[in-house]
């Protein structure tokens, strides 16, 4: 068997399209010959650094996104239900603290990435399925508990996520994404023959499969799909 191709997924739980891309690549990590690396980052820093404008600030884009997410939810089999006030969630509250918490969980985790995967999923679920808060420590605790973290692990992550070390780590990940050419999320970087290939969005998996020499089997490749 050939060595696994490294695929980095840069994401922020503020982005519903990142949730779609996240679930699909998680389903394919055992189907394709890839070594998946989760790269939590801050979308606000990406938009600012790239000089991009969020779709929520362009009326026609925002209207389209609302309809598109409904279709995408069915196609990707991800329980997307936009919050009552998406604008407040995405642009007033934001997810900087949430992504620092995700980064802290990843920093703590030893011997795998299951916890960071599950915590990220639970935070997406809170925002984009249950219309719940994802900015307060108690919200992070609830998400982490559902993700299977122990009380002591949760307490440690809550303390760690406010440290300068974690703030710098999230900033570094965001800056790395910008160096790759990021202008939004989700962004996947496939390392092919020593060269990084960037794919933006949740609708480029067929093209990505072709580039890495794998087969695209649709958004849910059978029994290996994640159970949401």
């Amino acid at each position: 068997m050939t060595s696994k191709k490294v695929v980095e997924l840069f994401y922020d739980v503020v982005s519903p399209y990142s949730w779609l891309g996240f679930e699909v690549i998680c389903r394919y990590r055992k189907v394709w010959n890839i070594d998946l690396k989760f790269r939590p980052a801050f979308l606000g820093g990406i938009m600012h650094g790239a000089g991009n404008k969020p779709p929520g600030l362009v009326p026609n884009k925002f209207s389209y996104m609302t309809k598109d997410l409904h279709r995408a939810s069915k196609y990707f089999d991800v329980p997307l239900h936009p919050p009552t006030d998406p604008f407040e969630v995405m642009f007033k509250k934001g997810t900087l603290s949430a992504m620092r918490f995700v980064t802290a969980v990843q920093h703590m985790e030893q011997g795998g990435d299951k916890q960071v995967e599950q915590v990220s999923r639970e935070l997406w679920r809170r925002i984009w399925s249950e219309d719940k808060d994802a900015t307060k420590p108690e919200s992070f605790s609830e998400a982490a508990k559902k993700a299977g973290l122990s009380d002591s692990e949760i307490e440690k992550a809550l303390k760690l996520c406010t440290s300068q070390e974690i703030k710098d780590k999230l900033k570094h990940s965001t800056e790395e994404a910008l160096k790759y050419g990021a202008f939004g999320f989700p962004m996947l970087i496939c390392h092919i023959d020593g060269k990084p290939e960037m794919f933006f969005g949740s609708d480029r998996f067929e093209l990505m499969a072709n580039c890495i020499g794998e087969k695209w089997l649709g958004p849910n490749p059978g029994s290996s799909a994640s159970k949401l």
Side-chain angles (χ1 to χ4, degrees):
M1 181 181 292
T2 57
S3 60
K4 290 185 176 181
K5 295 181 177 69
V6 174
V7 175
E8 298 179 88
L9 170 64
F10 288 86
Y11 66 92
D12 185 326
V13 297
V14 77
S15 162
Y17 288 103
S18 286
W19 191 13
L20 300 175
F22 173 90
E23 294 298 351
V24 172
I25 199 63
C26 283
R27 294 166 185 172
Y28 271 91
R29 67 191 305 181
K30 291 183 179 179
V31 178
W32 288 347
N33 187 37
I34 62 173
D35 179 12
L36 178 60
K37 306 289 187 184
F38 294 120
R39 299 298 307 274
F42 180 47
L43 183 56
I46 295 297
M47 303 302 280
H48 177 75
N52 198 2
K53 184 180 290 188
L57 300 182
V58 181
N60 284 355
K61 280 186 178 182
F62 189 73
S63 177
Y64 174 79
M65 185 180 78
T66 303
K67 297 175 183 177
D68 189 53
L69 287 176
H70 178 70
R71 295 180 302 212
S73 175
K74 291 183 178 180
Y75 177 70
F76 289 100
D77 191 22
V78 175
L80 268 173
H81 305 289
T84 304
D85 190 344
F87 190 88
E88 180 183 29
V89 170
M90 298 176 77
F91 305 115
K92 291 185 178 180
K93 292 184 175 180
T95 51
L96 179 58
S97 294
M99 294 314 295
R100 285 174 178 167
F101 183 76
V102 172
T103 302
V105 171
Q106 185 180 52
H107 181 77
M108 288 166 47
E109 190 166 12
Q110 302 292 328
D113 58 12
K114 196 63 180 177
Q115 288 184 336
V116 72
E117 176 185 341
Q118 296 286 25
V119 168
S120 298
R121 181 176 289 118
E122 290 301 332
L123 287 170
W124 264 305
R125 195 193 302 273
R126 289 184 70 85
I127 300 171
W128 291 102
S129 189
E130 300 171 350
D131 197 7
K132 293 181 179 179
D133 175 75
T135 64
K136 301 174 183 176
E138 53 266 36
S139 301
F140 305 152
S141 294
E142 288 178 17
K145 200 167 190 67
K146 285 187 176 182
L149 274 69
S150 67
D151 290 343
S152 61
E153 287 173 328
I154 293 170
E155 183 179 356
K156 184 178 178 181
L158 287 173
K159 289 181 179 178
L160 189 61
C161 73
T162 60
S163 70
Q164 192 61 47
E165 180 182 16
I166 292 303
K167 291 177 181 179
D168 290 343
K169 189 170 183 179
L170 180 64
K171 182 180 180 181
H172 178 70
S173 182
T174 303
E175 290 173 344
E176 278 199 289
L178 285 169
K179 287 178 182 177
Y180 278 128
F183 52 88
F185 287 159
M187 183 183 78
L188 294 114
I189 302 294
C190 299
H191 295 270
I192 305 168
D193 297 326
K195 179 184 177 184
E197 292 283 350
M198 183 180 82
F199 297 88
F200 167 75
S202 57
D203 58 353
R204 289 293 183 269
F205 287 105
E206 189 169 2
L207 179 59
M208 192 174 90
N210 181 66
C211 286
I212 65 175
E214 297 287 351
K215 290 184 179 180
W216 170 244
L217 304 173
N220 196 331
S223 60
S224 63
S226 301
K227 300 296 183 182
L228 297 179

